[in-house]
């Protein structure tokens, strides 16, 4: 520990560190950067000479040169010492706080604060006017970038957000190619059940840590609105029953009562947190129909709604003109606690739409086409902004469907600026006329509204794409990835090529002589059979499509036509319908079509994520046995957005994404091995063949039923009921204490070890020495491979843990439902049964080789053996490591297993950020290199040469990795910003937040 000879300089330095400290290097939040400067002539009239800020900045700069940074003689491990030290230096603190308060009161852009008035007179509110900047560059900015600009201006305090940041955004055309860093403060944070639980666990844990360190634990409270929707609460057990919703809900409350009660406690323990009870709907659809504000009016200040959420499909809200994207739960928690999000100013791909969809083509067909185009174009880390004459042909629900799939095409968001169609949707979904008028007035005044009746100024984009909607054709995607689009007319041929191809994203390697195998069995007393490609799960599921009335009612029309012709879905096909909100039920009943879905087995099973997240429930035992005993490649067809191997169900190796009407069609056919253009789906009651064209509704038919069945009162009544909760939720009893009483026997909620040994001294930067390779992966390892959300396998370490604590196998529930228990989630890390680890030489499963002994162990057991021996581990991987859903446990789990670094060809955006947030080093091989080209087997020991002084590390710098076999290679350190380096220096983002809060 550093000491100084002068107590006064020590006290001053303590105050400086307390106010500004983040890392040994000067983070972007340091006051040394707060001197108001701008190179933009257009901002000259806004320059304010904040002498108080400059003097503070100068004082801190001179202080840092005169004494070692963070020099003190206090043992911060002692709460008593901490309190005593704070009392000693309090007068110095107060003087600096007064100067900082003066700085904050002088808003850098107060000159453009403008009053918005109503047409007939009267004030609506005040807003920071972009046109008042009189800067011609703003007119050319993409609308999505304007939202970042407004946020930076409104939050500009020359401390967390500076004028320099504002200038970077205004000059986006020149700065975005340079990968410059900017801060972003979202208007709100969105949590859902599975990620909401660990977020609230972490907040509760942080309160405990604050309390132990002698600080006020109530400082841990969300500083922005937090909407938490309990949506991942439908394990599909009961399907073909009129009472499926109630039965599944009762089962969910039996399984998850403790978890639900914990979240209900959080809604009272933490201020500024709204919890939407289970059974209300899927988070993204509830966000679209109800929670999305579009424009906030807070204390008389108007500003655009923007949101970061703990699910990657938060992007669905972009269809409403609200800038939103997924972040890790760790980042979301920091945003909740007032930390600006540090992000690289993104490039924006302009996607021009023209024309009109052809008859019979659905929004799902469009989104699968767009997904393939954008994935091919390359949009990772970028915004996509849609524009063009074709926008007028897309309903808001169609736009939301495209926006929802942003993670699948790799973009940060797919943005649709607000226009008249947006306003119509707001009225349809029950927003008041006054609110809609306010939204339009503000967005028009601040140049954020698109009026296609007016001449369009040409905006500048980083790159351009365009699509004539008339070129879109019916399609599906699969069998293992959402961007592997297959035109419907080519499906049969593609399926047979998948059977032939070697095992991979488009292959199952089924020998020719086995491809026609028929597995006969008895299903509840009636003869049944399965072949390769037989559909065993058909699910209308997920936020992607259930928010879209045209495809939902289209599916109902397919069911109606099939019923009238005498076709019936086979009883061994597990069918389900999980709407995103109660509104869907209302318009299906209003249309009179729900009864036909019921007749085909598509009863409503609940309101929440189901099959798409892995909550498929068990297959009938006879079906499961027929698949496993005959090695059948069974298929699932679902209207979701994710179809990664092992995600939907362990026994469906082929999984296809399709529109809801196609889900019904494939359920009727009973197989994906069919050419819908030439082969009949089945035989009708008159003995004649029934073809696809006989049951497919026209665009006009669908439009007519949508017009007559989807009504504004349905939205109002549905969401008015949400605030009242439901009887099972209302009966949950929770304590009123602000500190949570952890139950050591709980298998759902557990006090994680993140802060157990935390002190006020950050651990500092660190490299890795002589680490073993825990796992050696190829390309496209998803977060579901790393931290599965689905069922807990009976032979897994997590199952063993539960059995040892008296939990019956039938009550295992899923990994997703147990995310509040670190003991289970650590054991579930890399527990996906489809894991392909090169150390196992072709064997598939959640195991690895313990290098020192050569033993084959579960990944968890191997990791624990390394930890017990004091040996670090790393992971080798290929491209797109961490793709798929944003899942903070995919970073938390490896950290708890002792993983210190991941070396890959490339990372998915959110996952890379999560790794940094948990103190894990993300490294990228140089272009053209990977483990194979470098001759790495994973049996080596790896040393990563990182400086121990954080000031010597730069974002994106080269790092040398050496092995005990003599090999040496250079990687890029994927700390992308100075702020991420600060997080790394602190051992993660949450310790960083705690230390800063204590020093305030």
């Amino acid at each position: 520990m550093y000491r100084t000879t002068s107590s006064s300089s020590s006290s001053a330095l303590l105050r400086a560190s307390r106010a500004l400290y983040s890392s040994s290097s000067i983070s972007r939040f340091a006051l040394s950067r707060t001197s108001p400067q701008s190179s933009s002539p257009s901002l000259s009239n806004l320059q304010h000479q904040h002498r108080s800020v400059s003097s503070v900045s100068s004082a801190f700069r001179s202080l840092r040169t005169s004494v070692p940074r963070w020099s003190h003689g206090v043992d911060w491990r002692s709460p008593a010492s901490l309190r005593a030290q704070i009392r000693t230096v309090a007068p110095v603190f107060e003087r600096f706080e007064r100067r900082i308060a003066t700085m904050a009161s002088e808003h850098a852009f107060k000159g453009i604060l403008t009053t918005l008035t109503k047409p007939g007179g009267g004030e609506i509110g005040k807003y920071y006017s972009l046109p008042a900047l009189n800067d011609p560059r703003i007119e050319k900015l993409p609308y999505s970038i304007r939202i970042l600009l407004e946020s930076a201006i409104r939050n500009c305090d020359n401390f967390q957000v500076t004028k320099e940041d504002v200038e970077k955004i205004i000059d986006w055309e020149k700065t975005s190619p340079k990968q410059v860093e900017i801060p972003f403060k979202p208007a709100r944070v969105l949590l859902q059940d599975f990620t909401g639980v660990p977020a609230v666990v972490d907040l509760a844990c942080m309160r405990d840590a604050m309390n132990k360190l002698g600080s006020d634990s109530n400082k841990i409270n969300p500083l922005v609105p937090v909407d938490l929707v309990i949506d991942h609460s439908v394990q599909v057990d009961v399907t073909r029953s009129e009472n499926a919703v109630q039965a599944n809900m009762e089962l969910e409350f039996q399984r998850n009562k403790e978890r639900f009660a914990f979240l209900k406690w959080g809604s009272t323990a933490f201020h500024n947190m709204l919890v939407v009870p289970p059974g209300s709907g899927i988070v993204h659809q509830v966000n679209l129909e109800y929670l999305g504000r579009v424009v906030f009016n807070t204390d008389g200040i108007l500003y655009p709604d923007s949101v970061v959420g703990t699910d990657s499909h938060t992007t669905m809200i972009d269809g409403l003109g609200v800038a939103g994207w997924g972040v890790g739960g760790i980042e979301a928690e920091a945003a909740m606690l007032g930390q600006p999000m540090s992000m690289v100013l993104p490039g924006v791909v302009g996607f021009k739409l023209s024309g009109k969809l052809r008859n019979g083509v659905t929004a799902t067909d469009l989104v699968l086409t767009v997904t393939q185009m954008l994935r091919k174009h390359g949009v990772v880390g970028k915004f996509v902004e849609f524009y063009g004459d074709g926008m007028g042909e897309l309903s808001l629900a169609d736009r939301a469907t495209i926006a929802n799939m942003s993670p699948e095409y790799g973009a940060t968001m797919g943005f649709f600026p607000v226009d008249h169609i947006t306003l119509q949707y707001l009225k349809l979904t029950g927003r008041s006329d006054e609110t809609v008028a306010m939204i339009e007035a503000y967005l028009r005044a601040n140049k954020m509204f698109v009026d296609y009746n007016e001449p369009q100024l040409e905006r500048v984009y980083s790159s351009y794409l365009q699509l004539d909607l008339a070129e879109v054709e019916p399609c599906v995607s699969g069998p293992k990835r959402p961007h592997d689009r297959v035109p419907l007319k080519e499906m049969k041929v593609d399926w047979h090529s998948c059977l032939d191809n070697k095992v991979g994203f488009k292959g199952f390697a089924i020998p020719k002589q086995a491809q026609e195998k028929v597995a006969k069995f008895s299903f509840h007393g009636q003869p049944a059979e399965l072949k390769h490609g037989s559909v065993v799960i058909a699910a209308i599921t997920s936020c992607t499509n259930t928010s879209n009335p045209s495809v939902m009612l289209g599916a109902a029309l397919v069911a109606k036509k099939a019923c009238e012709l005498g076709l019936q879905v086979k009883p061994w096909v597990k069918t389900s319908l999980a709407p995103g909100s109660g509104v869907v039920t209302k318009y299906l009943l209003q249309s009179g079509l729900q009864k036909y879905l019921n007749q085909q087995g598509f009863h409503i099973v609940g309101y929440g994520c189901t099959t798409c997240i892995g909550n498929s429930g068990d297959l009938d035992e006879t079906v499961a046995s027929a698949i496993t005993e005959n090695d059948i490649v069974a298929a699932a067809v679902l209207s979701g957005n994710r179809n990664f191997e092992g995600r939907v169900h362990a026994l469906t190796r082929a999984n296809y994404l399709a529109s809801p009407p196609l889900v019904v069609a494939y359920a009727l056919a009973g197989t994906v091995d069919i050419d819908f253009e030439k082969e009949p789906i089945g035989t009708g009651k008159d003995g004649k063949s029934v073809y696809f064209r006989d049951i497919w509704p026209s665009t006009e038919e669908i439009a007519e039923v949508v017009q007559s069945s989807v009504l504004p009162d349905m939205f109002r009544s549905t969401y008015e009921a949400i605030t009242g909760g439901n009887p099972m939720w209302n009966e949950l009893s929770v304590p009123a204490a602000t500190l949570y009483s952890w139950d050591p026997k709980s298998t759902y909620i557990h006090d994680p070890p993140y802060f157990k040994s935390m002190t006020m001294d950050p651990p500092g930067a660190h490299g890795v020495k002589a680490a073993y390779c825990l796992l050696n992966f190829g390309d496209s390892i998803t977060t579901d491979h790393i931290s599965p959300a689905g069922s807990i396998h009976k032979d897994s370490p997590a199952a063993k843990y539960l059995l040892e604590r008296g939990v019956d196998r039938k009550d295992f529930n899923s990994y997703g439902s147990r995310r509040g228990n670190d003991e289970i989630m650590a054991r579930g890390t890399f527990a996906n049964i489809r894991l392909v680890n090169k150390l196992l030489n072709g064997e598939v499963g959640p195991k690895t080789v313990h290098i020192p002994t050569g033993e084959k162990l579960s990944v968890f057991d191997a990791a624990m053996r390394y930890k017990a021996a004091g040996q670090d581990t790393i992971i080798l991987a290929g491209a797109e490591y961490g793709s798929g859903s944003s899942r903070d446990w995919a970073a938390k789990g490896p950290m708890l297993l002792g993983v210190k670094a991941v070396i890959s060809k490339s990372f998915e955006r959110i996952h890379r950020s999560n790794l940094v947030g948990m103190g894990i080093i993300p490294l990228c091989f140089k272009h053209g290199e990977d483990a194979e080209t470098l001759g790495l087997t994973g049996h080596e020991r790896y040393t990563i040469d990182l400086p121990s002084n954080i000031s010597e590390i730069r974002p994106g710098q080269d790092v040398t990795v050496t092995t005990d076999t003599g090999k040496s290679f250079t990687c890029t350190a994927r700390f992308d910003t100075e702020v991420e380096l600060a997080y790394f220096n602190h051992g993660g983002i949450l310790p960083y937040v705690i230390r800063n809060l204590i020093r305030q």
Side-chain angles (χ1 to χ4, degrees), residues 154 185-191 203 221-228 270-275 287 291 293 296-299 303-309 332-333 335-338:
R154 177 168 35 88
K185 284 197 169 188
R188 60 188 172 100
V189 172
L190 182 69
L191 307 175
L203 289 177
N221 259 315
L223 297 181
V224 298
V226 175
D227 301 322
L228 196 163
F270 298 102
H271 304 308
N272 223 7
M273 182 180 288
L274 167 69
V275 176
N287 193 24
L291 296 172
R293 281 73 154 179
F296 271 90
N297 189 344
T298 303
D299 299 326
Y303 54 96
D305 186 5
S306 58
V307 59
V308 292
E333 290 162 34
M336 287 159 50
L337 295 167

Side-chain angles (χ1 to χ4, degrees), residues 7 51 145 178 207 253 303 323 326 374 490 589 807 883 914 976 986:
S7 61
R51 293 185 175 86
I145 298 299
K178 300 176 182 177
R207 276 195 173 174
F253 264 85
Y303 54 96
L374 286 168
E490 299 174 13
L589 291 172
V807 179
S883 58
N914 279 348
D976 287 359
H986 278 257

Side-chain angles (χ1 to χ4, degrees), residues 332-404:
E333 290 162 34
M336 287 159 50
L337 295 167
Q339 293 296 308
M341 289 181 51
S342 179
M343 61 184 290
V344 173
L345 187 61
V348 183
V349 177
F351 199 123
K352 187 175 184 178
L353 298 172
S354 60
K356 182 179 181 179
L357 293 174
R358 289 181 289 133
N359 187 39
V361 177
T362 68
T364 317
D365 301 322
L366 169 60
V367 74
L368 294 178
T369 302
V370 167
T371 298
Q372 186 182 48
M373 289 177 65
L374 286 168
R375 176 64 72 171
K376 182 179 180 181
H377 185 73
V379 292
V380 173
K382 298 177 182 177
F383 290 176
V384 176
E385 186 166 297
F386 294 88
Y387 69 104
D389 296 339
M391 293 280 281
E393 299 297 332
L394 295 182
S395 70
L396 196 289
D398 292 345
R399 299 174 183 191
T401 309
I402 296 171
N404 178 283

Side-chain angles (χ1 to χ4, degrees), residues 885-933:
S885 298
S886 57
R887 194 167 293 171
D888 57 347
W889 265 110
K892 288 178 177 176
M895 185 275 286
L896 292 177
L897 295 187
V899 173
K900 301 300 181 185
V902 178
I903 310 175
S904 73
K905 290 177 70 175
S906 63
F907 291 95
E908 193 277 338
R909 176 184 62 86
I910 300 173
H911 184 64
R912 184 206 59 79
S913 175
N914 279 348
L915 290 174
V916 175
M918 293 309 298
I920 296 175
I921 304 168
L923 298 178
C924 277
F925 292 108
K926 287 296 184 181
H927 181 70
E929 294 183 346
D930 58 21
E932 286 193 7
T933 63

Side-chain angles (χ1 to χ4, degrees), residues 354-358 467-473:
S354 60
K356 182 179 181 179
L357 293 174
R358 289 181 289 133
L467 173 66
D468 182 348
L469 298 176
E471 296 176 358
V472 177
E473 58 183 322

Side-chain angles (χ1 to χ4, degrees), residues 433-451:
D433 289 343
E434 182 181 12
T435 297
V436 175
M438 179 271 289
I439 289 169
E440 181 178 8
Y442 166 75
L443 293 176
R444 281 185 180 275
N446 221 11
K447 299 292 184 181
M448 294 181 178
F449 185 88
V450 181
D451 191 336

